[in-house]
Amino acid sequence: MSIRYLAEQLYHWTKKVKELEQALASLGEGPHPDRAALEAQLFRARKERDHFRSVLEAKKEKPLV
């Protein structure tokens, strides 16, 4: 995978996480029929974001000492 692709995916998933967090916050406190689905989507989006972040970090060149 190219660094550009990884960066684009990281941006996409970071944006998705933010959108889902805002949607979940807009539901407010208390039970809501959509809460479980949003929490599941948010869990998956965070997992994808963290995966692409770690792969991108691993792809970066380390400085020579």
Side-chain angles (χ1 to χ4, degrees):
M1 286 186 251
S2 73
I3 290 180
R4 181 182 175 131
Y5 172 78
L6 293 170
E8 288 172 350
Q9 289 299 308
L10 177 58
Y11 174 77
H12 166 77
W13 287 108
T14 301
K15 191 171 153 183
K16 184 74 172 172
V17 165
K18 187 174 180 179
E19 290 170 1
L20 289 169
E21 286 174 341
Q22 289 174 344
L24 198 57
S26 72
L27 294 180
E29 297 297 320
H32 194 279
D34 296 331
R35 184 175 303 282
L38 279 175
E39 287 174 347
Q41 289 175 1
L42 180 57
F43 177 78
R44 180 179 178 274
R46 283 179 177 157
K47 192 173 177 181
E48 290 290 330
R49 178 200 62 191
D50 294 345
H51 167 74
F52 281 106
R53 181 179 289 144
S54 66
V55 173
L56 184 60
E57 280 297 318
K59 284 272 193 179
K60 288 182 181 176
E61 292 184 17
K62 306 295 182 213
L64 298 175
V65 178

